[in-house]
Amino acid sequence: MQICLCSQSESRALLLGRFGVDFIQKSVDYDESQITATVAKDFVYTASKGKLEAAIRAFGLDVPLLCADTVIAAADGTILRKAKDVADARRILHMQSASTISIISSLHYKSKRLAFSDISTTHYHFAAFEKEDLEAYLESGLWAGKAGGCMVEGFCKKYIQSVDGYESTAMGLQVETLLPWIRLDQKMLQYTQGVR
């Protein structure tokens, strides 16, 4: 059974592929700037739910839809959004250096047979980022389009002192939580087709 990942995220596509999920990838238009929530979990849930509603309008439910959103909260609870430019990325990354962050991912999976939603969090405690290393990362542009400019699978990896939660959640999609529901949906589909 094929699903539709309603996201341009390379990380999410990589995760689905790594876990053997058959999928197509189509982006959906949703304006996150309209969200007024200041609590990270509320924000990420509202964004992922909004993307799902937009995807249903755009694509229908002939193929199961998967929508997700991820935000990073600093130790003080401040939502660290995608950086607007290098200066903003530097500011956001300085907040994470020698500190703890929470990476919160919300997903919505919906087919004609079932709906599943989940919010998962992974906490990282980072050592202080080395100045030259940080500047090289900023110059690379790899931080662009990433919540909090954070790449736990890249730049941030060597600074991780401890972690609580799935790396997949931090990469934008808690696949381990999602897989049983995809399998259940597939069994329900097979059963329905068998009955006919």
Side-chain angles (χ1 to χ4, degrees):
M1 180 181 73
Q2 190 176 65
I3 69 168
C4 179
L5 172 62
C6 304
S7 166
Q8 292 179 328
S9 167
E10 291 177 19
S11 297
R12 290 185 184 116
L14 177 73
L15 285 165
L16 289 177
R18 190 183 293 167
F19 281 85
V21 177
D22 184 15
F23 70 97
I24 56 171
Q25 194 169 10
K26 293 183 187 178
S27 62
V28 65
D29 269 345
Y30 179 73
D31 181 13
E32 290 183 9
S33 67
Q34 65 186 315
I35 303 172
T36 56
T38 55
V39 175
K41 283 188 178 183
D42 295 343
F43 181 94
V44 76
Y45 178 84
T46 303
S48 57
K49 185 72 169 170
K51 289 177 183 179
L52 175 66
E53 290 164 359
I56 292 170
R57 285 192 299 274
F59 311 131
L61 286 172
D62 288 335
V63 174
L65 303 175
L66 173 61
C67 297
D69 198 71
T70 302
V71 295
I72 296 179
D76 66 359
T78 302
I79 298 174
L80 304 178
R81 305 281 310 277
K82 293 173 185 170
K84 298 178 185 90
D85 52 34
V86 174
D88 196 31
R90 183 179 289 109
R91 177 189 66 81
I92 290 169
L93 286 160
H94 274 297
M95 291 176 73
Q96 299 171 53
S97 181
S99 188
T100 299
I101 62 165
S102 300
I103 303 181
I104 306 154
S105 289
S106 173
L107 70 80
H108 297 278
Y109 173 87
K110 185 162 178 65
S111 72
K112 290 179 178 178
R113 295 160 298 280
L114 64 80
F116 170 68
S117 298
D118 179 74
I119 298 177
S120 294
T121 305
T122 297
H123 306 281
Y124 285 92
H125 183 73
F126 293 133
F129 300 155
E130 294 170 15
K131 186 177 180 183
E132 288 164 6
D133 198 20
L134 176 59
E135 289 304 316
Y137 176 57
L138 290 167
E139 198 173 303
S140 75
L142 292 171
W143 52 267
K146 306 232 180 288
C150 185
M151 282 185 73
V152 294
E153 72 278 20
F155 166 75
C156 298
K157 192 171 190 93
K158 70 179 179 182
Y159 296 104
I160 298 169
Q161 292 185 321
S162 63
V163 59
D164 178 25
Y166 290 123
E167 182 181 58
S168 63
T169 300
M171 288 175 67
L173 191 66
Q174 51 274 33
V175 183
E176 295 90 343
T177 307
L178 173 65
L179 282 178
W181 294 93
I182 293 177
R183 290 185 192 118
L184 175 62
D185 195 23
Q186 191 166 14
K187 285 179 185 173
M188 291 169 71
L189 177 62
Q190 289 167 345
Y191 176 77
T192 334
Q193 290 173 338
V195 168
R196 291 179 187 169

